[in-house]
Amino acid sequence: MTFIDGHVHTPYCPHGTAAPMEEYVKAAERKGIKVLVFTEHAPLPDGFTDPVPEKDSAMKRKDVAAYLAEGARLRKEYAGRVDVRCGFEVDYIEGFEEETLRFLEEYPEAAAHSILSVHFVKTGTGWFCIDYSADSFAEKAGESSVEKLYEAYGRAMDKAAGRPFGELNPPVLGHINLIHKFRKRIRPETDPINWTGILEKAAANGYVLDFNYAGLRKPDYGETYPEPWMVAEAERLGLKLQTGSDAHAPEDVGRGYTR
Ligand SMILES: [Zn+2]
Ligand SMILES: [Zn+2]
């Protein structure tokens, strides 16, 4: 395993902590991590209303320039010590592909260091953030069924695996089975998602998988994303994995890597 943390948030994330970006770089240096990729949640596309109560899922558009500038400053400052890169965690939101592509076109350099993830799915009663809380997940599942939520997520992730943004598509596919985050508490009888199909599609499209350690810190999950059998399957398919902590605080940089 190389020493890379390819999935790191910053104070520009409204649901994270206020620690400055430099603190994350210092933590990486202390822990011997050679490559740190900032992947702040890209601003949500125009016309899409953040479905979480606090409306704090993503960074604000007005902060993008300052975020990228600080990333560039740290890249210079820490050259030869930590290879600092700056991209986004971009949401794949069905029906907002054009708006998302326009954003990627504005920041092609950052797009090359970005991750494509699915956090939002469309349900019968509107958009829903699948990883917000176990309570909201259970409540939403109660409105239709947990199978339906899984199916909606599986469809979106399958589309994301199809590399919908072409040349500007983020090269890394984020925590592919994030839908499992609350499964110790609520899960379908049988998982309706064709995970192998998604992995095959990701492999065919030249993706790298986010090997995300945040799942180990989640009480209702307790595994990496993807989970071990998917990792084995990914390796069989020739998919590369990139370690990422999904840190929203400096002390979480590289966390769990020793496992
Ligand atoms: Zn976040
Ligand atoms: Zn993230």
Side-chain angles (χ1 to χ4, degrees):
M1 199 77 62
T2 41
F3 284 85
I4 173 164
D5 193 334
H7 191 148
V8 177
H9 292 274
T10 73
Y12 294 107
C13 174
H15 59 257
T17 58
M21 287 166 73
E22 188 157 5
E23 293 302 315
Y24 290 80
V25 182
K26 284 183 181 161
E29 189 175 33
R30 268 198 312 276
K31 295 182 181 182
I33 286 163
K34 298 291 174 216
V35 182
L36 181 151
V37 193
F38 286 114
T39 51
E40 195 46 82
H41 298 282
L44 295 173
D46 291 334
F48 181 79
T49 307
D50 191 345
V52 315
E54 294 85 357
K55 307 257 179 288
D56 65 351
S57 294
M59 78 187 297
K60 297 189 176 56
R61 194 168 282 266
K62 68 168 177 54
D63 288 336
V64 171
Y67 163 67
L68 293 173
E70 179 63 356
R73 183 189 76 80
L74 292 168
R75 176 168 179 78
K76 257 196 210 148
E77 178 91 18
Y78 286 82
R81 293 147 72 194
V82 182
D83 180 351
V84 178
R85 302 172 192 171
C86 207
F88 298 100
E89 181 172 14
V90 177
D91 267 286
Y92 175 70
I93 306 176
E94 274 184 292
F96 288 85
E97 290 86 349
E98 264 176 50
E99 292 83 349
T100 305
L101 182 58
R102 252 178 275 143
F103 177 80
L104 292 167
E105 281 167 351
E106 264 183 75
Y107 305 102
E109 227 173 282
H113 300 300
S114 293
I115 296 176
L116 190 63
S117 301
V118 174
H119 298 96
F120 305 106
V121 299
K122 202 171 191 172
T123 71
T125 50
W127 288 98
F128 177 63
C129 178
I130 57 124
D131 69 324
Y132 177 68
S133 74
D135 284 344
S136 70
F137 193 85
E139 189 189 323
K140 202 65 172 179
E143 284 174 16
S144 54
S145 70
V146 65
E147 281 82 4
K148 285 254 155 47
L149 283 181
Y150 269 54
E151 282 164 10
Y153 178 86
R155 264 197 311 277
M157 183 47 76
D158 187 69
K159 284 194 182 172
R163 208 178 178 94
F165 305 115
E167 289 288 293
L168 287 163
N169 203 92
V172 181
L173 198 54
H175 36 55
I176 62 162
N177 61 323
L178 185 65
I179 191 74
H180 290 156
K181 181 172 177 181
F182 307 118
R183 74 175 174 192
K184 281 188 187 166
R185 184 164 149 194
I186 177 167
R187 62 189 299 168
E189 236 162 78
T190 50
D191 188 336
I193 299 175
N194 177 6
W195 293 108
T196 301
I198 289 170
L199 290 167
E200 283 169 352
K201 207 170 196 178
N205 284 290
Y207 266 115
V208 171
L209 293 188
D210 174 30
F211 188 27
N212 191 303
Y213 284 65
L216 295 168
R217 310 192 290 269
K218 308 298 178 199
D220 293 324
Y221 179 59
E223 292 284 354
T224 54
Y225 304 111
E227 63 186 303
W229 79 263
M230 293 177 191
V231 172
E233 191 72 356
E235 281 169 351
R236 184 183 68 80
L237 292 164
L239 270 161
K240 290 206 173 67
L241 287 95
Q242 183 187 83
T243 44
S245 65
D246 217 334
H248 284 74
E251 61 269 25
D252 285 339
V253 170
R255 189 145 169 205
Y257 282 19
T258 48
R259 191 177 107 138

